Amino acid sequence: MTYVSHLGLQLVSFFDELGRTVLFLKDILKLGIKLDVSRKSVFEQIWRVTVQSLPTTALAGFFVGAIMAVQFTLQVKEFGALGFLGGLATSGTFREVGPLLIAFMLSGKVGAFTAAELGTMQVTEQIDAIRCLGANPMKEIILPRFIGIVIASFFLLAFGLMLSVGGGVLVGIVFSNISPEEYVRHIPTVVTFPSIAGGLYKCFVFATLLATICTYKGYTTRGGAKGVGRSVVSTSVATMVGIVIADWLTSLTAEAVLMFFIRG
Amino acid sequence: MQGVDPGLFLSKKCLRERLHDRKNRILDNLGIFGGMKKVIRFDRVSKVFGNEKVLNSIDLEIKSGESVVLIGPSGSGKSLILKLISGLLNPTSGSIYINGKDLETLSHDERILLFRSMGMLFQKNALFDSLTVKDNVCFPLRETTDKSQFEIEEIAEYFLKEVGLDHVLDHFPDEISGGMQKRLGIARALALAPEIILYDDPTAGLDPITSRKIVDLILNLKDSGSSTLVTVTNEMNRAYQLADKIVMIVDGEAIVTGNESETKSFQDKRVQQFIKGQVDGPLTDLQ
């Protein structure tokens, strides 16, 4: 009985938190539609997120491409189809593994940083002070960060995916003895526009999810230094779980859209 | 039933409450109380956190230009009253009127406009740690006024000079002392020339000399404007120095004890124990 009631409470708390996050996103979008935001603050946030995460994303992207190439080498070698290594590895990276792994990296870096920053502002009453000074904290600190994270994360994810091709090429040369030209030759054959669009669609969804969760968790932090720690941890957990679920949903919807256009 | 006054079916208590509300509405519409403009009014305000009733149906009136000091044991709800006035928290029941307007009935935009006429110094200062001293004061001006950058900087520098911080304009809050941080908080609270200024323990954690300087500064700034002050402090000397009227918050009640001499002779054992700092008494029993 205790276990069941505990599980019930956990479920209620999960859906309560989910509902609050959705309402928080609604408030952000309502403000965002009015474009009532300081462009300078948005550019500052884009710059901060990009500079902060570019090396990590580049490294992650490069190695994701390399890992995929190693895995596919083992498979295609058996069929004597090494010529298709580039196409297959790149397709798999763009459509599935790349956005997922790079988004994980970003959630650890950008998500944790933003949640800690906003959480500290909350527990030191800086957000209350903004409100007391007649300004709207959602407009002043949340919206610029949200837009900044979505835009920067989207481009970082896209940049990471491009670099993954480089990682694949390196593996092709070193482990599979194929030239860079041979590696990239079949990429356009396998990696079609829907694959790229699907990958970019995932990047956008993951970026939005990351921005929503980290700003919400930071903004709703309570309970001093311990509270900030809790927010950072729950941001990391929630973004990773959220990204995995979103990956499944975006794969389903992308496939459905693709099928619709193929079958007419 | 048509044509019958529904008031006939109300209890005496209910009728009294209705008359009380009607009287208050008329006073609020006139914007007056006892010949002076009433700026803040608490009407049977209660605040409950979980199972704990921190404020129990309190009535409180603060007039224009008045300096009211809230005293009382820790956790009695003094800072809570400031947070209710500044709209950071909402009462569980009852109404709060600022300049005759019921906070509950105001739209989001109306509330924001109203709160721009207030300034607040937080207990732990709540300074923006990523902004310089000057930018901390520029922030409210930049976000809420149409003034040019030049004007904003001029105003910020004026207030920072007033509080003696014109030599650390480019420092960050964590690079200046606790007393300086308090003064910076005061300068930021005053930047929008507010009608009502709320000071939450302005001398907390400061040495007696700095504490005295801060209170002198608050009084000087009050004399140069015509703001209404609501201050929370537990240092009785500072309270006497600042107050036109002292209000003790204890056991969910607001006891208006009057000015310094009235407070010292106030016939309530709790007030006497508190102002004399005695260990034994009804407040100790309450804890």
Side-chain angles (χ1 to χ4, degrees), chain A residues 117 120-121 124-136 139-140, chain B residues 83 86 88 112 115-116 118 120 122 126-129 140 143-144 188 192:
Chain A
E117 187 189 26
T120 307
M121 288 180 85
T124 54
E125 295 181 312
Q126 291 179 53
I127 291 178
D128 283 347
I130 292 174
R131 209 172 278 133
C132 276
L133 291 165
N136 181 357
K139 186 190 141 196
E140 304 303 335
Chain B
K83 287 188 175 175
S86 61
L88 291 174
I112 284 179
F115 295 138
R116 279 180 194 169
M118 290 186 209
M120 182 160 173
F122 286 78
L127 299 169
F128 305 129
D129 49 16
E143 299 304 329
T144 62
R188 191 182 64 179
L192 291 171

Side-chain angles (χ1 to χ4, degrees), chain A residues 163-193:
Chain A
L163 281 187
S164 68
V165 179
V169 167
L170 186 73
V171 167
I173 295 166
V174 177
F175 293 102
S176 314
N177 294 320
I178 57 170
S179 66
E181 292 81 19
E182 206 177 342
Y183 185 89
V184 297
R185 192 190 305 147
H186 285 294
I187 289 179
T189 321
V190 184
V191 185
T192 52
F193 173 74

Side-chain angles (χ1 to χ4, degrees), chain A residues 190-256:
Chain A
V190 184
V191 185
T192 52
F193 173 74
S195 308
I196 297 171
L200 292 179
Y201 165 56
K202 281 188 178 185
C203 290
F204 178 73
V205 173
F206 296 167
T208 309
L209 196 70
L210 171 64
T212 308
I213 292 173
C214 68
T215 49
Y216 171 75
K217 293 282 182 189
Y219 191 67
T220 53
T221 300
R222 294 284 178 277
K226 217 173 180 177
V228 176
R230 267 198 305 267
S231 286
V232 172
V233 172
S234 62
T235 299
S236 300
V237 174
T239 42
M240 286 191 190
V241 173
I243 284 168
V244 171
I245 296 170
D247 189 34
W248 172 65
L249 285 172
T250 47
S251 295
L252 281 181
T253 49
E255 288 302 320

Side-chain angles (χ1 to χ4, degrees), chain A:
Chain A
M1 188 61 190
T2 317
Y3 178 74
V4 173
S5 61
H6 176 73
L7 192 72
L9 281 173
Q10 290 283 317
L11 266 176
V12 169
S13 148
F14 169 76
F15 282 110
D16 179 57
E17 194 73 353
L18 186 67
R20 285 173 198 275
T21 312
V22 171
L23 289 176
F24 180 78
L25 178 63
K26 192 190 108 191
D27 286 345
I28 293 176
L29 295 177
K30 225 161 87 179
L31 268 177
I33 284 167
K34 292 180 195 162
L35 289 176
D36 190 11
V37 62
S38 150
R39 276 186 212 164
K40 190 176 165 241
S41 304
V42 172
F43 282 120
E44 272 173 10
Q45 291 303 322
I46 293 174
W47 178 249
R48 182 180 64 82
V49 173
T50 308
V51 168
Q52 201 178 46
S53 310
L54 195 65
T56 318
T57 315
L59 201 70
F62 189 84
F63 278 98
V64 167
I67 293 162
M68 291 298 282
V70 168
Q71 293 301 321
F72 274 101
T73 300
L74 303 172
Q75 309 296 319
V76 293
K77 224 174 191 174
E78 279 185 36
F79 298 98
L82 267 177
F84 284 94
L85 175 66
L88 291 171
T90 309
S91 174
T93 309
F94 271 34
R95 292 179 61 170
E96 196 56 59
V97 187
L100 192 69
L101 289 183
I102 301 167
F104 277 177
M105 291 283 179
L106 283 178
S107 78
K109 189 120 188 178
V110 181
F113 178 88
T114 308
E117 187 189 26
L118 291 174
T120 307
M121 288 180 85
Q122 183 67 268
V123 299
T124 54
E125 295 181 312
Q126 291 179 53
I127 291 178
D128 283 347
I130 292 174
R131 209 172 278 133
C132 276
L133 291 165
N136 181 357
M138 287 293 281
K139 186 190 141 196
E140 304 303 335
I141 58 164
I142 301 297
L143 190 57
R145 276 171 180 74
F146 179 85
I147 299 174
I149 293 171
V150 171
I151 294 174
S153 300
F154 176 76
F155 283 109
L156 282 168
L157 282 163
F159 175 70
L161 289 182
M162 283 198 287
L163 281 187
S164 68
V165 179
V169 167
L170 186 73
V171 167
I173 295 166
V174 177
F175 293 102
S176 314
N177 294 320
I178 57 170
S179 66
E181 292 81 19
E182 206 177 342
Y183 185 89
V184 297
R185 192 190 305 147
H186 285 294
I187 289 179
T189 321
V190 184
V191 185
T192 52
F193 173 74
S195 308
I196 297 171
L200 292 179
Y201 165 56
K202 281 188 178 185
C203 290
F204 178 73
V205 173
F206 296 167
T208 309
L209 196 70
L210 171 64
T212 308
I213 292 173
C214 68
T215 49
Y216 171 75
K217 293 282 182 189
Y219 191 67
T220 53
T221 300
R222 294 284 178 277
K226 217 173 180 177
V228 176
R230 267 198 305 267
S231 286
V232 172
V233 172
S234 62
T235 299
S236 300
V237 174
T239 42
M240 286 191 190
V241 173
I243 284 168
V244 171
I245 296 170
D247 189 34
W248 172 65
L249 285 172
T250 47
S251 295
L252 281 181
T253 49
E255 288 302 320
V257 171
L258 195 63
M259 286 300 156
F260 176 79
F261 281 110
I262 289 172
R263 288 174 186 168

